[in-house]
Structures are given as C-alpha cells and as structure tokens.
Amino acid sequence: NAGVTQTPKFRVLKTGQSMTLLCAQDMNHEYMYWYRQDPGMGLRLIHYSVGEGTTAKGEVPDGYNVSRLKKQNFLLGLESAAPSQTSVYFCASSYSIGGKGKNIQYFGAGTRLSVL
Amino acid sequence: AQKVTQAQTEISVVEKEDVTLDCVYETRDTTYYLFWYKQPPSGELVFLIRRNSFDEQNEISGRYSWNFQKSTSSFNFTITASQVVDSAVYFCALTFGNQGGKLIFGQGTELSVKP
C-alpha cells in the first residue's frame, strides 16, 4: 500500500545548489503533479504531467524543471536553488478525468526543503 | 477567474462543539469538481470528499457532513461533536473537466480542537 512516495523527506541546500526531488506512484495513474505549500497560500501547482513523456507548466513554474520518463515516476528539479524556493513540496497523482472517483488526487507525504 | 476562498484562517473550539468550515468558489465552468482535504500535524494530505457540479446532494459520513449550494457557490464542511483528533488544516479545492485535473486550493483553515 505504498501509494505516492516522495524522496527525500527533508533537505537543506545552499543558494545556487541543485537537487532533484523524486516522486513515485504505484497506482498506475496517468496524471502526476508537483505542488508547493507556503504559509497562508494553500498549495500551488508547479508543473504537471498527463502521461509518460509529457509535462506542462502550472501556476508557479519558474525556477523548476520536471521530467516524466516513466509512467510511475515524476521528477522535480531545481537547477540553482534560491531562498524563495524554501517550501514544502507535495507530489500527487490521479487517474485521468472522467468516471466515478477518477480525478481524485492522492498525495505523497511531502518534502521539506530549506534553501539558505 | 477560478478561485477558492476559505475566509476563516483559524478556528478554535472546545471538544464536542460543532464547527463549520466555509468554502466559497468562483468559476464560469459548468462542469467542475470540489474537494476537501485534511492536513493533520504530521503533514500529509488526506482526501475527504469529492463532489461534482451536477450533484447538489448533501453528504454525511459519520461526524462529517458537507453542504453544497450552487446558488451561493459554497461547499461548506461541518464537523459534529468535534474531537481533538480533528485538529488539522483543512483545504477546499476546485478542478475542472478540461484542465488536466489541476487543483486550485483555498488558503486553508486551521482547526484547533481543545480538550
């Protein structure tokens, strides 16, 4: 019953460093998403993917890149981390739109990232 | 514009009180879906309920109930006889039929239930 797994759970970076967050899901979901959560702002969509090999920008994509080489994995990259990217990052997955219960997004446990 | 507003930033109640969390949404789409998620202190997001725009029936699940009113663009969440374990941040969210499933979240309401 793994569901959506995010690694790592915590990370501290220095300004300018790079890193990749990994999201893996075992529910055979077509859609995957990366959100960031900041105090008082709810969750905001960074990038998303509607299938293997496809990605699209969300509400706050600047400073991030993503890749979906395999259906079960969705990677979020920070090429040059900035203090403004200090946040909690959540990955989610869902079936495609339509059908009963098919667009419910299931979330990972989150990654807490601090950029100093 | 599509938007979700949770005007209550923080609510504090004493155990066994009933509490209602408000959610107001804005959309011009006729097909949309509304959700509530719970984020306990441990940090994960837990799905509670989904409602589509064509189904205005209220729903009850144990101590939880949801009131969906298209006339006022509201999807409120009531916890009856609150318990300490209900302490969490609750998010209301919205998605659309042609938007790749992207969720638009409200700011969240932090509920604190004191013994």
Side-chain angles (χ1 to χ4, degrees):
Chain A
N1 291 341
V4 179
T5 304
Q6 290 182 233
T7 53
K9 290 185 168 44
F10 303 95
R11 186 72 186 268
V12 178
L13 290 179
K14 294 182 179 178
T15 297
Q17 285 185 320
S18 63
M19 78 163 295
T20 300
L21 281 66
L22 172 63
C23 177
Q25 54 94 3
D26 61 3
M27 296 174 281
N28 202 33
H29 286 166
E30 292 94 348
Y31 288 12
M32 296 186 75
Y33 313 82
W34 276 106
Y35 294 87
R36 60 177 288 172
Q37 182 180 18
D38 301 295
M41 301 187 75
L43 279 78
R44 293 179 294 167
L45 183 66
I46 305 171
H47 286 280
Y48 66 102
S49 167
V50 300
E52 183 178 323
T54 71
T55 63
K57 293 180 180 180
E59 182 185 354
V60 289
D62 294 342
Y64 305 96
N65 57 73
V66 288
S67 65
R68 182 110 180 261
L69 299 179
K70 294 183 178 180
K71 185 177 183 179
Q72 63 269 32
N73 295 337
F74 195 28
L75 279 63
L76 177 70
L78 286 73
E79 289 185 352
S80 180
S84 60
Q85 294 178 304
T86 294
S87 187
V88 181
Y89 292 87
F90 286 96
C91 176
S93 70
S94 71
Y95 289 111
S96 58
I97 295 296
K100 200 163 192 176
K102 291 231 176 215
N103 63 348
I104 297 170
Q105 290 186 24
Y106 296 92
F107 285 79
T111 296
R112 189 173 294 276
L113 175 66
S114 292
V115 183
L116 306 177
Chain B
Q2 290 92 2
K3 186 179 177 182
V4 175
T5 301
Q6 295 178 254
Q8 305 150 306
T9 305
E10 297 178 10
I11 300 175
S12 182
V13 299
V14 176
E15 210 170 16
K16 298 185 183 177
E17 285 186 19
D18 299 347
V19 58
T20 295
L21 310 182
D22 297 333
C23 173
V24 174
Y25 63 93
E26 297 176 26
T27 178
R28 284 176 290 203
D29 288 62
T30 56
T31 301
Y32 54 90
Y33 301 83
L34 294 161
F35 300 78
W36 277 95
Y37 283 86
K38 174 181 180 180
Q39 187 176 42
S42 52
E44 73 274 22
L45 280 144
V46 179
F47 165 75
L48 294 178
I49 190 171
R50 182 191 86 148
R51 176 65 74 229
N52 73 54
S53 52
F54 300 107
D55 181 2
E56 283 195 76
Q57 278 191 328
N58 292 330
E59 179 146 345
I60 298 174
S61 177
R63 297 184 296 106
Y64 294 172
S65 62
W66 291 268
N67 181 265
F68 176 31
Q69 292 195 334
K70 288 176 74 170
S71 61
T72 56
S73 297
S74 65
F75 186 41
N76 296 337
F77 173 28
T78 297
I79 301 175
T80 302
S82 60
Q83 299 177 0
V84 173
V85 293
D86 296 326
S87 296
V89 180
Y90 291 86
F91 291 98
C92 181
L94 171 69
T95 192
F96 311 91
N98 63 346
Q99 294 291 315
K102 295 176 289 184
L103 281 173
I104 296 170
F105 282 85
Q107 302 92 318
T109 297
E110 183 173 3
L111 174 65
S112 176
V113 181
K114 302 190 185 308

